[in-house]
Amino acid sequence: MTYETEGSTAVLKDIAEAMLGRRPFDLIIRNVQIVNVFSASIVSGSIGIVNGHIAGVFGPEEALDSRRSIDGGNAYALPGFVDSHMHLESSMLTPEHFAQVALSCGTTTVCADPHEIANVLGIEGVRGLADACRSLPLRVLLTAPSTIPSAPGLENSGFDVGPAEMEDLLDIPGVAGLGEVMDFNAVAAGDERMLSVIEAAANHGVFLDGHVSALTGRRLQTFRAMGIDSDHTVPSAEKLREELALGFTVQVQECMLNREIVQAMNDAPVQDRICLVTDDVPLPRLMRQGHLNFVVERAIELGLDPIRAIRYATINPAVRLRLYHTGGIAPGMEADMQLVQDLRHPRPELVLRAGEIVWDHGSYLPHTVPYQIPDHLRGSVHLRPVTEADFAVRVPVPSGFSGGTAVVNLIGQDGVSIRTQRVRKTLPLAAERDGFACLKTAPYLKMAVFNRYGRDQHGIGLLTGMDGVTGAAALTYGHDCHNLTVYGGNDADMALAANTLRESQGGLCTVENGKVLTLIPLPLAGLMCDLPPEVLLEQMEQFLSDCRRMGFNHQNLLTFFTLMPLAVSPELKCTDRGLVDALHKRLLPLIDEIKEISSDGT
């Protein structure tokens, strides 16, 4: 089965012959409501397909000869969804298994930024992911990750991107653009290293993706002047309008959608630079809610015109990606399409990719060779054994220090959002021993981030809002550097969780009372596994159930776990180098000041 078709002379001749009635169409899809994203209209009719391409669109009464015919049952025929910004790794599935789920949701094309695997394995990781995507029924474009590490000086990853590395990344077959430029402050400040990376990509003539949530005014214009012309972090209607006026393509995620942004999308005078995207979709959300079809559904629920929602998820992103042969149902375009019964709730019954049926009423049809994880993409956790002592917060104090208090910087979180804040608390200090006093951290949740790339260093943070956790949870998936992160209520369980993932070479696990409850190995770079989606989901549900029972109570727990080490996410996070003030791009001490309690208690 071939999914990449070309406009060869033979293909063009076959299309012409079918349209002239000299040969049958390969496939006719009859009795459908065809959604035209070019004219913003819906018409009844049939669609003729030849050699994976749409040969023509016809009225309902036209007589058409075909080798095969499908009755669409008056369903809506939509173009296949095109996701112009996402990350394959966030599903924790191999590309083969991700393709099954995405195609079942009507997504036929994705543009994936392999930023996560590049942080771990560098160029070889991106090349390995490209190889895994090459023969999939899902069309996958990759971008060259641009900002690794995402916060230089505040974290350490397994790779660094400079102009030379960018050249190598852009030479990998399947890489079509520059991945999201996240260090927008460096760009706006004219940082030479960051600009040299952008220049290397611009010289290749590829599209340049951005991530520029915090800039406005002249600094935003500076960012745009570098040739970066997209942003998927649009937090407000005002920002959306500003970016559209500067020539950005705005890519709106589901988490950014609200009625004000949707109204601004409806009212935009220019409609071809607005896209809907997924960005990161953890496996439970992917399996329960869907992929880009869920973003379309949410936008429509919030008031977006349905035809515009379809346009934002099809032809607009296709043009953004320079895929001029997909994204619409029109003569000459590849036959990437889906049939849905309800335009407002697009759950496809039938999905075609390049004219081949890949999803048919609950059945995934392609037969692909099972993906085998290469040895060089395994074994990415390089860390000495962890001990309970690694989790102790030991504060240098004068000899004879009899005990006292410390003013501590805590990570404040509300159990709902991912944005955190700096909270200062006074906690007790024990008496001096060997020049140090131990901080008494209970009842606060402890977080430790261990470098897994051979550096013997780790950072420790304390979090509010999760008092009394009884066990520990550990992950090697943690944006963006993916160091080993452990959360817990006691040091013994935290050490066991860390060592369990060290031995399994990556994954997720829960521990309680000295016993491993759940272990989900992620052998591919410590980020992904080759389990079928349903099996991985079941294990993930058990992991999250264990965590909630132990007292981890965030509304979006998996997202919370993976974003707490993200050094570019405001306000306060923890990396392998310690506490990070993301707003001011600086490291913060865990302990601000100490005070000894005198013999009279003062």
Side-chain angles (χ1 to χ4, degrees):
M1 185 178 290
T2 301
Y3 296 97
E4 293 302 331
T5 58
E6 299 178 0
S8 67
T9 301
V11 170
L12 299 179
K13 186 174 185 297
D14 284 347
I15 291 173
E17 292 286 301
M19 292 298 287
L20 292 169
R22 296 173 182 167
R23 61 151 282 179
F25 293 93
D26 295 337
L27 174 65
I28 292 290
I29 301 178
R30 305 180 187 274
N31 187 24
V32 286
Q33 302 295 313
I34 303 166
V35 177
N36 190 319
V37 295
F38 302 104
S39 63
S41 63
I42 302 175
V43 296
S44 299
S46 301
I47 303 166
I49 297 171
V50 174
N51 285 338
H53 291 75
I54 298 168
V57 178
F58 310 98
E61 306 302 325
E62 292 191 56
L64 302 167
D65 183 24
S66 66
R67 293 170 179 158
R68 186 182 180 191
S69 177
I70 294 175
D71 187 334
N74 206 38
Y76 293 98
L78 316 178
F81 289 138
V82 179
D83 190 352
S84 60
H85 180 80
M86 56 84 67
H87 304 274
L88 289 167
E89 303 97 316
S90 64
S91 70
M92 300 185 187
L93 297 168
T94 59
E96 173 197 8
H97 287 138
F98 173 82
Q100 296 179 21
V101 182
L103 287 165
S104 75
C105 297
T107 300
T108 53
T109 299
V110 300
C111 181
D113 184 344
H115 176 88
E116 317 301 349
I117 199 169
N119 263 280
V120 179
L121 296 175
I123 293 168
E124 285 308 307
V126 176
R127 185 176 286 114
L129 205 62
D131 290 343
C133 293
R134 195 154 290 127
S135 61
L136 295 177
L138 177 74
R139 182 193 287 111
V140 180
L141 278 67
L142 297 181
T143 57
S146 66
T147 317
I148 299 175
S150 59
L154 304 179
E155 61 184 353
N156 293 102
S157 69
F159 186 56
D160 288 86
V161 171
E165 291 78 12
M166 178 54 59
E167 294 281 355
D168 291 339
L169 287 165
L170 289 166
D171 286 339
I172 296 173
V175 173
L178 177 70
E180 57 178 301
V181 177
M182 292 184 290
D183 197 351
F184 47 78
N185 285 314
V187 176
D191 176 77
E192 185 174 343
R193 180 178 181 274
M194 196 68 246
L195 295 186
S196 67
V197 170
I198 297 168
E199 181 185 19
N203 289 340
H204 277 253
V206 299
F207 58 83
L208 312 179
D209 273 355
H211 173 129
V212 61
S213 57
L215 297 188
T216 60
R218 180 170 293 191
R219 298 183 76 214
L220 179 61
Q221 290 196 53
T222 302
F223 189 86
R224 177 65 181 87
M226 300 301 105
I228 307 166
D229 60 352
S230 76
D231 180 27
H232 62 280
T233 58
V234 185
S236 68
E238 180 182 6
K239 184 76 183 301
L240 182 141
R241 287 188 286 265
E242 181 183 16
E243 291 192 359
L244 286 176
L246 294 176
F248 281 92
T249 293
V250 294
Q251 300 165 308
V252 184
Q253 311 173 41
E254 186 270 332
C255 65
M256 300 284 181
L257 287 170
N258 58 47
R259 294 196 181 277
E260 291 75 21
I261 284 180
V262 163
Q263 189 59 53
M265 294 161 73
N266 274 328
D267 294 341
V270 176
Q271 286 288 316
D272 61 355
R273 285 183 173 266
I274 304 174
C275 302
L276 294 172
V277 299
T278 61
D279 198 14
D280 286 299
V281 183
L283 181 69
R285 186 157 37 125
L286 178 66
M287 297 291 284
R288 292 194 199 111
Q289 297 175 330
H291 192 244
L292 193 52
N293 59 334
F294 176 67
V295 186
V296 169
E297 183 176 332
R298 283 289 297 136
I300 294 172
E301 287 176 355
L302 289 167
L304 188 62
D305 174 79
I307 300 289
R308 289 183 178 176
I310 301 302
R311 179 184 177 90
Y312 298 164
T314 55
I315 192 62
N316 283 10
V319 172
R320 163 70 193 163
L321 300 176
R322 304 177 184 176
L323 296 174
Y324 304 115
H325 55 296
T326 192
I329 298 176
M333 306 196 88
E334 283 196 16
D336 298 346
M337 66 181 72
Q338 55 182 311
L339 302 187
V340 304
Q341 289 294 333
D342 188 343
L343 204 60
R344 293 177 174 273
H345 304 280
R347 303 284 165 168
E349 298 176 342
L350 195 77
V351 178
L352 286 84
R353 166 74 180 95
E356 299 283 353
I357 298 173
V358 293
W359 178 257
D360 188 356
H361 294 82
S363 296
Y364 180 72
L365 302 184
H367 296 287
T368 56
V369 177
Y371 176 68
Q372 302 293 323
I373 301 173
D375 288 343
H376 69 280
L377 301 184
R378 298 174 179 266
S380 61
V381 179
H382 306 290
L383 174 68
R384 62 165 174 78
V386 175
T387 69
E388 292 184 41
D390 290 319
F391 298 95
V393 179
R394 301 171 71 237
V395 183
V397 293
S399 177
F401 183 85
S402 60
T405 59
V407 177
V408 184
N409 289 311
L410 279 74
I411 302 172
Q413 63 87 31
D414 62 8
V416 177
S417 69
I418 300 303
R419 190 181 181 99
T420 59
Q421 60 182 346
R422 180 184 179 185
V423 175
R424 287 161 59 88
K425 296 281 186 181
T426 300
L427 300 182
L429 275 174
E432 178 262 344
R433 184 175 180 181
D434 298 327
F436 293 90
C438 284
L439 183 72
K440 299 179 181 179
T441 60
Y444 297 109
L445 179 70
K446 190 178 291 183
M447 169 185 179
V449 182
F450 291 85
N451 182 282
R452 67 154 156 141
Y453 304 109
R455 291 174 179 259
D456 189 7
Q457 67 183 31
H458 68 283
I460 292 180
L462 300 174
L463 293 92
T464 68
M466 286 195 193
D467 301 351
V469 168
T470 58
L475 308 85
T476 53
Y477 191 114
H479 299 285
D480 275 327
C481 286
H482 303 289
N483 284 304
L484 171 59
T485 304
V486 190
Y487 304 86
N490 69 83
D491 297 348
D493 284 345
M494 293 179 76
L496 178 56
N499 286 321
T500 299
L501 293 191
R502 175 183 174 273
E503 292 166 8
S504 70
Q505 285 297 298
L508 298 82
C509 77
T510 54
V511 170
E512 189 176 30
N513 296 325
K515 179 182 178 182
V516 176
L517 304 180
T518 307
L519 171 61
I520 306 174
L522 298 177
L524 177 51
L527 303 176
M528 306 157 81
C529 79
D530 52 3
L531 292 174
E534 299 79 9
V535 176
L536 181 57
L537 177 63
E538 182 179 356
Q539 295 188 9
M540 193 76 70
E541 298 277 14
Q542 185 60 55
F543 169 83
L544 294 172
S545 176
D546 288 341
C547 290
R548 293 190 180 97
R549 184 186 52 75
M550 291 189 296
F552 294 99
N553 57 6
H554 197 277
Q555 180 174 293
N556 296 298
L557 192 52
L558 187 58
T559 301
F560 168 82
F561 281 150
T562 61
L563 289 183
M564 283 303 104
L566 181 57
V568 295
S569 174
E571 173 179 343
L572 197 62
K573 295 296 192 298
C574 183
T575 73
D576 64 320
R577 298 197 61 179
L579 290 182
V580 172
D581 177 353
L583 290 179
H584 300 95
K585 297 190 69 173
R586 60 176 179 168
L587 292 168
L588 281 179
L590 180 62
I591 309 295
D592 260 350
E593 58 183 272
I594 64 172
K595 181 179 180 182
E596 185 174 12
I597 297 176
S598 64
S599 57
D600 61 2
T602 62

